[in-house]
Each structure stands twice: as C-alpha cells, then as structure tokens.
Amino acid sequence: MNIFRILGDVSHLLAMIILLVKIWRSKSCAGISGKSQVLFAIVFTSRYLDLFTNFFSIYNTVMKFVFLMCAYITVYLIYGKFRKTFDNENDSFRLEFLLIPVTGLSFLENQSFTPLEILWTFSIYLESVAILPQLFMISKTGEAETITTHYLFFLGLYHALYLANWIWRYQTENYYDQIAVVSGVVQTIFYCDFFYLYVTKVLKGKKLSLP
Amino acid sequence: EQGINPKDEL
C-alpha cells in the first residue's frame, strides 16, 4: 500500500460521493449517464466476488463494500427514485458495443482461464471503457453541470494516481500486472480530453460547454 | 516481472 494507492482510492470514493450528493440534493440526475453507472456497478460486482473468500485487510474489505453500495445506490437513484429526471434520449451509447468486445477480450487475454479470473479481467477491461457513455452524453448535450465535471475530475484523478501506484510498485516491488496497467492507461487516456477542458474552463469558473 | 496479481487493489 502506498500513498498513490490511498490517494487514488480516496479520490475514487470522493467522486462517487460527489455524484451521490449531486443527485440527492438536486433531486435530479440530469446530465448523468445511467449507463455508465450501470457499467460501474457491473465492474464492482464482477471484481469483488472474492469479497468473502479473500481477506486482505479491513480497509480493503470495507472499501469494497462501500464502493458496491455507492454504485448500487447511484443506479437506484437514477433508474428508480429520480427516473423522471433521467435524460434517456441523450444517454444513447450502445452498451453492446462495449460489453461484447470486453467480454471477448477477457476470454482471450487473461492470467488464467478460471471463472473468477475471467470475471476479474472482464471487470478491469470494462472499467476502462465504463465512462464512455458519460463522456458521449456530455459531447452530445454539449455541456455538463459543474458538479458533474468535479465528479469526472476525481474519477480521472483516481486512475491517474493508480498509474503512479503501478509505477511505484514496479520500482519498489519489481511487480506489475500487464492487464491492469494496459487497461488503466487506456482509461486515463479517455479522460485526457476532459482534463484539458476541465483545467481550461471549469477551473476558470466557466461552464464546461463543448465547442 | 509479471507476477500473479494478488488482487489486493480495488
């Protein structure tokens, strides 16, 4: 466990809390892609199946529970409680374009051909593309509420910090996991365009609106 | 070296 890991997990948790608070306080999920949140719930479900079999630390187990809870509560708020405010026609990314390649790849490229390992690999590949429906929705509506951009910033920061964590672990433990690193780099690249807009617009107090 | 991932990350 290193500082990048801890900051990364905190940043991830912060992103989920920002999103929950935004939806709960505004009683609306306008501008939020329900599909991305469903994908995140699938990511955590397929990744944390070892929740009851592998025990690493209290921190690890508690964080997995919290992440699962946040993901499912968010999905419930979007498709349940505040479904009337759900912007369905703009959340139009075709999930099968993500799920099929990711499923295929997790059967082809994995560390061992066992159900748990394939599901874990599936969750890693899926997480790297899970944000695409949200980014697609923002590009379609041409703008995003500032609170949504903060959510995306901390989500992107979490993965950038995880990259730093993997570099650190490679330097200190001479260990790395190619599948996690490659998909992590892909995921962080998707945020670069957003990071640029976030720094040049949102941090200057402007609203994030795409040209 | 690429060891078996202990899956200790979130």
Side-chain angles (χ1 to χ4, degrees):
Chain A
M1 174 66 92
N2 57 64
I3 183 66
F4 300 111
R5 238 322 286 286
I6 295 176
L7 289 178
D9 292 341
V10 166
S11 179
H12 195 179
L13 183 61
L14 196 56
M16 287 191 256
I17 291 170
I18 287 174
L19 186 63
L20 276 171
V21 165
K22 171 247 182 293
I23 296 177
W24 186 257
R25 282 197 11 213
S26 68
K27 300 252 179 292
S28 156
C29 54
I32 303 294
S33 161
K35 292 185 174 179
S36 275
Q37 298 313 315
V38 167
L39 290 181
F40 282 125
I42 296 172
V43 164
F44 293 140
T45 308
S46 56
R47 184 178 303 175
Y48 298 156
L49 294 172
D50 63 349
L51 186 59
F52 302 108
T53 54
N54 287 6
F55 177 79
F56 293 101
S57 66
I58 299 284
Y59 169 82
N60 193 275
T61 304
V62 166
M63 285 297 264
K64 283 177 177 177
F65 261 117
V66 168
F67 282 11
L68 278 165
M69 290 296 291
C70 286
Y72 280 102
I73 291 172
T74 305
V75 169
Y76 162 69
L77 290 182
I78 292 173
Y79 289 102
K81 200 164 177 60
F82 303 121
R83 67 183 166 287
K84 290 181 291 299
T85 66
F86 178 48
D87 182 359
N88 206 359
E89 71 275 359
N90 277 323
D91 191 11
S92 57
F93 198 96
R94 304 290 300 276
L95 288 190
E96 53 272 30
F97 290 166
L98 296 179
L99 288 170
I100 293 168
V102 161
T103 306
L105 194 62
S106 60
F107 275 93
L108 289 176
E109 187 60 40
N110 53 54
Q111 244 166 10
S112 67
F113 206 79
T114 60
L116 262 182
E117 189 62 36
I118 287 180
L119 280 166
W120 179 83
T121 310
F122 169 78
S123 81
I124 292 290
Y125 293 145
L126 186 61
E127 186 187 10
S128 55
V129 294
I131 199 62
L132 287 180
Q134 179 66 65
L135 297 178
F136 178 76
M137 185 176 193
I138 290 179
S139 66
K140 207 169 169 201
T141 55
E143 53 135 29
E145 284 180 55
T146 302
I147 189 77
T148 309
T149 61
H150 294 321
Y151 158 69
L152 287 169
F153 171 73
F154 283 108
L155 211 53
L157 182 64
Y158 134 66
H159 235 277
L161 285 167
Y162 254 61
L163 293 185
N165 155 56
W166 289 323
I167 293 169
W168 177 273
R169 286 189 75 169
Y170 183 64
Q171 297 299 331
T172 51
E173 303 161 30
N174 193 23
Y175 157 82
Y176 74 99
D177 176 349
Q178 196 167 7
I179 288 176
V181 171
V182 170
S183 65
V185 168
V186 167
Q187 173 165 347
T188 311
I189 288 171
F190 286 140
Y191 283 89
C192 287
D193 166 44
F194 166 75
F195 277 141
Y196 172 75
L197 287 169
Y198 185 78
V199 171
T200 55
K201 296 211 170 170
V202 179
L203 293 189
K204 290 193 169 62
K206 293 184 204 138
K207 191 166 173 53
L208 187 135
S209 56
L210 301 181
Chain B
E1 83 282 1
Q2 184 177 356
I4 292 291
N5 186 330
K7 311 278 188 302
D8 60 336
E9 294 179 344
L10 292 176

